[in-house]
Amino acid sequence: MKITFYGHASLGISVGGYSILVDPYISANPEAAHIDMNQLEADYILLTHAHGDHTLDVEAIASRTGAVIVSNAEIAGYYEAKGLKAHPMNHGGKWNFDFGQVKMVNAIHSSSFPDGTYGGNPAGFVIESEHKNIYIAGDTALTYDMKLIPMRTKLDLAILPIGDNFTMDVDDAIIAAQFVECDKVLGYHYDTFGYIKIDHEQSIKRFFDKGIDLMLLQIGESIEL
């Protein structure tokens, strides 16, 4: 499983011969100007919620690639009405896709499209594939529901927002990592806007002091599990 960071909360996942994009917000991010969105492959697009900084490039990518959009029922219906393919889910449910199993889990945030359309409830995803399991938290506050995840799934990686203001901060994300019992964390949702700037060195040290490895990738950089 290969995971590529495309900036903000945008991820690419390559697994089992399939390409998955998560929350694509690339074209309006000046820090991601070197990423050619038209070259990105996508068999699936996973969306945690409807905010514009997570859905901006969905229509362009899905129209070009024919990707299936996986999200809550409201978001799936929104894109199906535009003629795109979608698979609706809801909290607690799981589905076996051809690349692996996806379970939708709770997130505490808000969710509406830039045009004001209701975007359903925000969510995170637990993906089990090729004997590697990851948790993509989405935009969320720290929630005790995270303790439920390791009761069903042993994680190899937790992908957690760390930018504060709109989501968890570093200290809450450390607790989240402890809740999900995972000592490898990929941080995201930081630095893109003034509200969510972080001190990289200090953030890594705080995690390290708790025995947790925090990875902060450059945009376009990848890790393999």
Side-chain angles (χ1 to χ4, degrees):
M1 180 184 289
K2 180 179 178 181
I3 300 171
T4 304
F5 180 55
Y6 290 123
H8 195 51
S10 302
L11 304 166
I13 302 172
S14 297
V15 60
Y18 295 91
S19 298
I20 303 146
L21 288 179
V22 182
D23 290 352
Y25 171 78
I26 300 166
S27 62
N29 183 357
E31 300 299 320
H34 60 292
I35 302 297
D36 185 354
M37 196 178 71
N38 293 319
Q39 296 300 313
L40 296 180
E41 298 180 358
D43 298 298
Y44 296 90
I45 299 174
L46 273 58
L47 300 178
T48 62
H49 64 293
H51 288 163
D53 60 329
H54 294 255
T55 61
L56 177 68
D57 297 318
V58 171
E59 290 184 45
I61 295 172
S63 296
R64 176 177 58 82
T65 64
V68 177
I69 297 163
V70 179
S71 193
N72 65 38
E74 290 82 3
I75 291 175
Y78 179 89
Y79 287 113
E80 284 180 323
K82 293 176 177 287
L84 300 174
K85 293 184 287 187
H87 179 103
M89 297 187 72
N90 220 318
H91 294 76
K94 64 182 183 297
W95 189 260
N96 290 320
F97 294 94
D98 39 22
F99 63 85
Q101 183 186 98
V102 175
K103 183 173 184 177
M104 182 173 278
V105 296
N106 193 35
I108 298 178
H109 197 59
S110 55
S111 180
S112 59
F113 285 94
D115 64 9
T117 301
Y118 174 57
N121 291 315
F125 296 105
V126 175
I127 301 175
E128 299 186 11
S129 183
E130 286 190 337
H131 310 295
K132 297 295 183 180
N133 305 325
I134 66 173
Y135 167 45
I136 303 171
D139 282 13
T140 187
L142 178 65
T143 167
Y144 219 64
D145 287 350
M146 293 171 179
K147 279 183 167 285
L148 298 173
I149 292 172
M151 293 180 182
R152 293 287 298 270
T153 305
K154 179 173 175 52
L155 295 173
D156 296 287
L157 179 71
I159 302 173
L160 306 176
I162 58 174
D164 206 359
N165 195 72
F166 298 111
T167 68
M168 297 186 290
D169 65 0
V170 165
D171 293 325
D172 277 355
I174 290 170
I175 298 172
Q178 294 168 336
F179 279 3
V180 300
E181 300 178 9
C182 188
D183 60 5
K184 292 189 181 301
V185 171
L186 175 61
Y188 77 163
H189 207 280
Y190 64 91
D191 281 0
T192 317
F193 318 116
Y195 289 119
I196 59 174
K197 297 287 184 182
I198 66 166
D199 182 318
H200 291 212
E201 184 176 341
Q202 184 183 75
S203 300
I204 291 170
K205 183 179 185 305
R206 285 185 184 177
F207 273 85
F208 180 80
D209 288 345
K210 297 295 184 179
I212 304 168
D213 178 21
L214 173 65
M215 292 170 282
L216 301 178
L217 300 180
Q218 296 295 316
I219 295 175
E221 188 177 1
S222 303
I223 57 171
E224 293 202 30
L225 300 179

